[in-house]
């Protein structure tokens, strides 16, 4: 079952927890919606690193900690 949610994330800071393919897809969707995504994960897939090099996303290399939740409008968990 899925629970649909429609949010206006334009101009909002959003956190994605996870650094794999699913996280990359979530980040791409957030970018299309006008959000400012930050990703936190100990390892990051190549697409996320490319987005960082183009200044489209901020990356935090490390494990998730509750202190990272402050200041974000939305948090998306995209881990295995």
């Amino acid at each position: 079952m899925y629970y649909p949610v429609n949010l206006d994330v334009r101009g909002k800071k959003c956190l994605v927890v996870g650094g794999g393919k699913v996280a990359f897809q979530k980040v791409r969707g957030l970018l299309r919606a006008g959000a400012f995504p930050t990703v936190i994960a100990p390892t990051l897939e190549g697409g996320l690193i490319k987005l960082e090099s183009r200044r489209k996303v901020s990356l935090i290399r490390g494990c998730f900690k509750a202190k990272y939740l402050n200041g974000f409008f939305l948090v998306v968990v995209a881990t295995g």
Side-chain angles (χ1 to χ4, degrees), residues 30-44:
L30 288 167
L31 288 169
R32 281 191 300 272
F36 300 118
T38 296
V39 176
I40 179 163
T43 59
L44 300 157

Side-chain angles (χ1 to χ4, degrees), residues 52-72:
E52 179 189 40
S53 71
R54 295 189 321 202
R55 298 181 185 198
K56 300 286 184 181
V57 64
S58 297
L59 301 180
I60 300 172
R61 290 167 176 85
C63 294
F64 172 80
K65 294 180 179 146
K67 69 179 182 178
Y68 293 127
L69 295 173
N70 293 331
F72 288 99

